[in-house]
């Protein structure tokens, strides 16, 4: 039976990324830096979709808090989606995204993706697409005015504390 569970970073997840990413994911040192040394990591950042003991897909979703005009905003950074090649056309990434959106409380989500992922997966989710994607909660508006153009949006995001 297919289930989604949360977990912390483990060496076997690095090997899953190395073997299942559509391009060169990077070195083990990058994995350690990104997923073991981040001061904001939690023991539940990895969303693992599996059937029995077989991992089908993984997404890392980490929440960061930013202060904007003395009000905290929770930004969900979604990164490192990987799906076993045997399951790539099965909608596993969409399944994990729907689970995250239903179970994590956040104000905005941001995810960087390849052109292929933007043009296929993100077209069918609640994401605005360019090199980054973000989901806006209508009750919070500071970032909703950011246009969907990388040259303007990325500096605007970076200008916040």
């Amino acid at each position: 039976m297919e289930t989604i569970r949360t977990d912390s970073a483990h060496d076997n997840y690095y090997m899953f990324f190395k073997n299942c990413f559509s391009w060169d994911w990077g070195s083990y040192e990058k994995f350690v830096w990104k997923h073991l040394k981040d001061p904001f990591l939690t023991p539940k950042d990895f969303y693992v979709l599996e059937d029995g003991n077989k991992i089908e897909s993984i997404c890392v979703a980490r929440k960061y808090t930013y202060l904007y005009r003395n009000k905290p905003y929770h930004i969900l950074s979604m990164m490192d989606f990987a799906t076993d090649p045997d399951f790539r056309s099965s909608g596993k990434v969409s399944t994990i995204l729907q689970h995250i959106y239903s179970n994590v409380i956040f104000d905005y989500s941001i995810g960087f993706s390849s052109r292929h992922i933007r043009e296929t997966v993100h077209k069918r989710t609640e994401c605005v697409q360019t090199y980054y994607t973000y989901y806006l909660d209508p009750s919070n508006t500071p970032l909703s005015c950011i246009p969907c153009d990388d040259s303007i949006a990325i500096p605007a995001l970076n200008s916040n504390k």
Side-chain angles (χ1 to χ4, degrees):
M1 176 171 182
E2 197 173 79
T3 59
I4 297 176
R5 63 179 174 83
T6 57
D7 202 357
S8 57
H10 296 289
D11 288 349
N12 59 330
Y13 296 154
Y14 168 72
M15 292 309 299
F16 185 84
F17 289 139
K18 281 297 280 186
N19 295 329
C20 299
F21 237 62
S22 302
W23 58 90
D24 181 19
W25 188 85
S27 67
Y28 180 71
E29 289 74 23
K30 175 185 174 185
F31 179 82
V32 168
W33 168 80
K34 192 173 186 182
H35 297 302
L36 296 173
K37 292 187 176 181
D38 185 335
F40 301 101
L41 66 88
T42 74
K44 298 183 176 189
D45 290 343
F46 281 68
Y47 289 80
V48 182
L49 176 65
E50 57 192 1
D51 193 348
N53 290 330
K54 177 153 176 69
I55 295 174
E56 297 178 353
S57 190
I58 295 177
C59 170
V60 180
R62 188 168 296 138
K63 205 161 40 167
Y64 298 91
T65 300
Y66 291 87
L67 206 57
Y68 179 75
R69 295 186 179 167
N70 295 320
K71 182 178 177 192
Y73 291 91
H74 304 287
I75 311 294
L76 182 67
S77 177
M78 294 181 294
M79 56 191 112
D80 299 337
F81 291 93
T83 301
D84 184 292
D86 293 341
F87 302 101
R88 287 216 175 115
S89 61
S90 304
K92 303 301 179 186
V93 170
S94 294
T95 301
I96 293 176
L97 279 174
Q98 290 169 1
H99 177 83
I100 292 168
Y101 283 150
S102 298
N103 292 286
V104 177
I105 297 169
F106 60 92
D107 299 311
Y108 305 99
S109 71
I110 300 174
F112 293 83
S113 64
S114 69
R115 177 182 299 272
H116 172 74
I117 296 292
R118 285 195 325 263
E119 292 173 353
T120 57
V121 175
H122 290 315
K123 271 190 173 179
R124 298 186 307 265
T125 63
E126 296 176 18
C127 291
V128 176
Q129 61 194 39
T130 61
Y131 263 103
Y132 62 93
T133 61
Y134 58 93
Y135 170 86
L136 301 175
D137 178 343
S139 65
N140 292 307
T141 57
L143 297 181
S144 62
C145 62
I146 294 175
C148 296
D149 178 283
D150 291 349
S151 65
I152 298 168
I154 299 301
L157 285 169
N158 289 337
S159 69
N160 293 325
K161 289 185 181 178

